[in-house]
C-alpha cells in the first residue's frame, strides 16, 4: 500500500499537533522531513520508540518534534506508522504535511487510516464506526458506549446472535440433505421457538438503539408551564449545574438557538429560552397555539406547576396539550406552603417530581425521573449498543428475515423457503460487522470520517 499522510489533530492553535504517516515507506519518508538529535534513523529503531529532533523542508528546519515509530502489524492501521508530534500551530502542521508530500507521501482520504485498520483486520466495521463516536462523544454515557463499541462489544453481541442463526442454518441444511427423514415435529417446534427468541433479541437491540440515540444527540426538551411557575429558574438550575460544558449553538433542525445542558449524563437540548419566557407579553399568555407548536417537536416535556398557588385554567390547558410525549410533571416551589392540589397531578401524570428550582432541592429526583420516562435507566452503555443508522438498518433487516423465516415455518412452507430467509438474515449480520460488506457499504462508513482519522 502506498504511504499516506494527514494532520490528525484539529487545525487550530494548540500545544501539540500530530502529522501521521502510514504505509510501507512511512519510516523512510518521515526520515526525509525529520532528523533525530541522537542521529538515530526512524527506519532502524524498534517499534514504540520515540525520537526527539527537528522537522525540516527545503527551506530549513521549522520546529522541534517528537517522532514515534510503530512497526507493522503493531500500529493503529496495522502498517508501518510514524507520528510526528510538533507544536500545534496551523502553519507548522501545514508546512510539515507539505514536506511529507514532497518527500513522497500521498494525502490521506477521509477515514483512510481507520479504513486501513479495518482492511488489515485490526477492527471490524462496528469498531471503526466507534472511532467516530469516540471523537465526537460529549456526555459520559456516550463516551462509555463508544468505548464499548471500540472494544468490540457491539460485534460480540451480533456475533452471538449470528452464531445461533448459523446453527439453525446448519440444521436446515442437514434436513435438506436427507429429505426422506423430514423434520420431526419436535425439532420443527424447537426451530420455530429459536427463531422467535432471536427475533425478540433483535427487537431489544433496536429499542436500545433509540434510547442510545438520545444519549448521543441530546433530547429535544421543552419546559412548559404558565408564567411564573419557575421555568426560567429551573432552566438556570439546569444550565448552571455543569456550567463549564454548557454550549449555545444554532439548532441543527430549526433555526433557533438551543442550549445543551446535561441532566446527570443525559444531554438535553432546551429549545429557545426566549420563546419559553412568556410572562412579559400579555398576547403570548394566550398563546395556546404557540405552546402546542413548541410541544409538537419535543422528545421530552417538563411540565412545570407552582406548588404555592391553586390550580388554574392554564394549568389544565397545559395537560391537554401534552399528548403522548414522554413527560415529567414538575411541582415546583415546594419550599413554600402548598396550595396546589396534588390529586390533579396524580390523575394526569405517571411521573411527578416535587422540587424547589430555587434551592435545588429535589433535583436528583428529576434526574432519575427523566431517565425513567425516556427508558434510559435500563440502558447499559457498556453492553455494546447499536449506534449508527447503518447498524440499525442491518439489524432491522435481519429481524424482518428472521420473522419471515418463523412465519414460513409456521405456515408449513418448504424448508427451502425457510432457508432463504435464514440466509438473508445471516448476510445482514455479515454486512453489519463488515465480514462480507460490499465496497459501497464500506465507502459509506468511511465517508463520514474526517481526514486524519
Ligand atoms: P417563569 O415565568 O415560569 O419562567 O418563572 P420564573 O422562573 O421567572 O419564576 C417566577 C418567580 O418564582 C421568581 O420570582 C422566582 O424567583 C420564583 N421561584 C421560582 N422557583 C422557585 C422556587 O422553587 N421556590 C420559590 N420560593 N420561588 C421560586
Amino acid at each position: 500500500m502506498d504511504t499516506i499522510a494527514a494532520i490528525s489533530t484539529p487545525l487550530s492553535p494548540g500545544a501539540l499537533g500530530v502529522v501521521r504517516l502510514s504505509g510501507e515507506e512511512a519510516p523512510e519518508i518521515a526520515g526525509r522531513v525529520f532528523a533525530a538529535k541522537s542521529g538515530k534513523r526512524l527506519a532502524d529503531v524498534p517499534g514504540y520508540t520515540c525520537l526527539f529532533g527537528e522537522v525540516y523542508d527545503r527551506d530549513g528546519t521549522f520546529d522541534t518534534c517528537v517522532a514515534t515509530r510503530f512497526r507493522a502489524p503493531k500500529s493503529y492501521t496495522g502498517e508501518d506508522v510514524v507520528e510526528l508530534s510538533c507544536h500545534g500551530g496551523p502553519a507548522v502542521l501545514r508546512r510539515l504535511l507539505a514536506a511529507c508530500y514532497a518527500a513522497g507521501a500521498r494525502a490521506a482520504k477521509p477515514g483512510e487510516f481507520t479504513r486501513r485498520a479495518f482492511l488489515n483486520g485490526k477492527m471490524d466495521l462496528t469498531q471503526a464506526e466507534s472511532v467516530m463516536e469516540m471523537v465526537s462523544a460529549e456526555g459520559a454515557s456516550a463516551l462509555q458506549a463508544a468505548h464499548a463499541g471500540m472494544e468490540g462489544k457491539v460485534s460480540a453481541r451480533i456475533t452471538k446472535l449470528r452464531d445461533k442463526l448459523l446453527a439453525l442454518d446448519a440444521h436446515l441444511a442437514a434436513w435438506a440433505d436427507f429429505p426422506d427423514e423430514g423434520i420431526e415435529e419436535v425439532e420443527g417446534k424447537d426451530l420455530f421457538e429459536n427463531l422467535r427468541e432471536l427475533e425478540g433479541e433483535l427487537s431489544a437491540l433496536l429499542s436500545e438503539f433509540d434510547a442510545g440515540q438520545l444519549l448521543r444527540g441530546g433530547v429535544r426538551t421543552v419546559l412548559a408551564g404558565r408564567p411564573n411557575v419557575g421555568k426560567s429558574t429551573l432552566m438556570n438550575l439546569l444550565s448552571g449545574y455543569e456550567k463549564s460544558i454548557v454550549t449555545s449553538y444554532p439548532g441543527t433542525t430549526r433555526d433557533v438557538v438551543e442550549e445543551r445542558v446535561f441532566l446527570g449524563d443525559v444531554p438535553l437540548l432546551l429549545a429557545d429560552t426566549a420563546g419559553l419566557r412568556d410572562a412579559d407579553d400579555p398576547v403570548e399568555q394566550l398563546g395556546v397555539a404557540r405552546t402546542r407548536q413548541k410541544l409538537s417537536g419535543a422528545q421530552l416535556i417538563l411540565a412545570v406547576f407552582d406548588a404555592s398557588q391553586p390550580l388554574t385554567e392554564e394549568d389544565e390547558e397545559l395537560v391537554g396539550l401534552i399528548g403522548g410525549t414522554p413527560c415529567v410533571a414538575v411541582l415546583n416551589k415546594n419550599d413554600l406552603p402548598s396550595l396546589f392540589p396534588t390529586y390533579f397531578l396524580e390523575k394526569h401524570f405517571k411521573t411527578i417530581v416535587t422540587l424547589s428550582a430555587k434551592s435545588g432541592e429535589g433535583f436528583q429526583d428529576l434526574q432519575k425521573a427523566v431517565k425513567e420516562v425516556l427508558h434510559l435507566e435500563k440502558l447499559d452503555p457498556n453492553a455494546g449498543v447499536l449506534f449508527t443508522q447503518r447498524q440499525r438498518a442491518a439489524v432491522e433487516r435481519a429481524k424482518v428475515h428472521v420473522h419471515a423465516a418463523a412465519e414460513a415455518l409456521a405456515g408449513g412452507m418448504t424448508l427451502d423457503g425457510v432457508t432463504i430467509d435464514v440466509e438473508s438474515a445471516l448476510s445482514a449480520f455479515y454486512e453489519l460487522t463488515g465480514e462480507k460488506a460490499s465496497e459501497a457499504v464500506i465507502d459509506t462508513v468511511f465517508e463520514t470520517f474526517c481526514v486524519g482519522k
Side-chain angles (χ1 to χ4, degrees), residues 225-236 276-279 304 306 332-336 355-360:
R226 63 176 178 77
N228 262 344
V229 292
K231 296 181 301 296
S232 317
T233 312
L234 185 59
M235 176 99 182
N236 288 341
L276 294 170
R277 287 176 187 158
D278 303 333
V304 188
D306 186 340
N332 186 33
K333 308 196 192 180
N334 80 337
D335 52 303
L336 298 176
L355 54 72
S356 164
K358 205 166 184 176
S359 73

Side-chain angles (χ1 to χ4, degrees), residues 229 234 237 302-309 327-346 349-370:
V229 292
L234 185 59
L237 183 70
L302 301 177
V304 188
F305 301 90
D306 186 340
S308 69
Q309 298 294 322
C327 177
V328 175
V330 178
L331 187 57
N332 186 33
K333 308 196 192 180
N334 80 337
D335 52 303
L336 298 176
S338 172
L339 287 177
F340 195 88
T342 42
Y343 74 84
F344 172 78
L345 295 183
E346 281 154 11
F349 295 93
K350 270 207 283 237
T351 314
I352 304 159
V353 170
T354 310
L355 54 72
S356 164
K358 205 166 184 176
S359 73
E361 196 204 319
F363 194 62
Q364 302 288 344
D365 296 338
L366 181 61
Q367 287 188 11
K368 210 168 137 242
V370 163

Side-chain angles (χ1 to χ4, degrees), residues 116-330:
R116 287 186 175 195
F118 165 67
L119 294 175
N120 290 326
K122 284 271 163 180
M123 53 177 79
D124 71 12
L125 270 192
T126 65
Q127 287 171 300
E129 285 168 315
S130 312
V131 174
M132 271 298 282
E133 288 299 301
M134 195 79 186
V135 295
S136 58
E138 285 193 66
S141 294
L143 172 62
Q144 274 176 311
H147 185 245
M150 265 176 72
E151 284 191 313
K153 297 261 177 73
V154 178
S155 320
R157 282 181 85 178
I158 296 300
T159 308
K160 213 165 126 198
L161 298 181
R162 188 201 64 199
D163 288 348
K164 277 191 191 171
L165 201 58
L166 266 176
L168 294 181
D169 193 36
H171 267 96
L172 286 167
W175 285 319
D177 287 344
F178 303 102
D180 294 343
E181 295 180 17
I183 302 188
E184 295 284 330
E185 207 172 302
V186 183
E187 288 183 290
K189 218 168 129 199
D190 270 359
L191 180 58
F192 179 77
E193 272 163 19
N194 283 337
L195 284 168
R196 278 282 182 256
E197 196 182 301
L198 200 60
E199 191 183 339
E201 289 173 62
L202 291 168
S203 299
L205 268 175
L206 291 171
S207 64
E208 281 176 27
F209 171 85
D210 296 334
Q213 287 302 97
L214 295 177
L215 287 181
R216 296 173 65 233
V219 187
R220 286 193 308 279
T221 306
V222 173
L223 277 167
R226 63 176 178 77
N228 262 344
V229 292
K231 296 181 301 296
S232 317
T233 312
L234 185 59
M235 176 99 182
N236 288 341
L237 183 70
L238 286 168
S239 30
Y241 200 62
E242 288 201 29
K243 202 132 215 155
S244 58
I245 45 175
V246 169
T247 49
S248 287
Y249 58 92
T252 41
T253 48
R254 291 160 299 149
D255 212 8
V256 298
V257 174
E258 287 174 330
E259 193 162 6
R260 191 180 169 94
V261 302
F262 279 86
L263 183 57
D265 59 3
V266 182
L268 302 183
L269 302 173
L270 287 171
D272 184 12
T273 60
L276 294 170
R277 287 176 187 158
D278 303 333
D280 306 336
D281 184 344
V283 181
E284 279 196 6
Q285 288 183 21
L286 305 168
V288 172
R290 225 185 117 83
T291 310
R292 193 192 301 274
Q293 190 198 356
K294 277 191 301 207
L295 295 182
S296 68
Q299 294 169 304
L300 171 69
I301 296 169
L302 301 177
V304 188
F305 301 90
D306 186 340
S308 69
Q309 298 294 322
L311 180 68
T312 70
E313 224 169 85
E314 274 176 280
D315 292 326
E316 296 190 71
E317 258 165 21
L318 173 61
V319 171
L321 293 174
I322 286 169
T325 311
C327 177
V328 175
V330 178

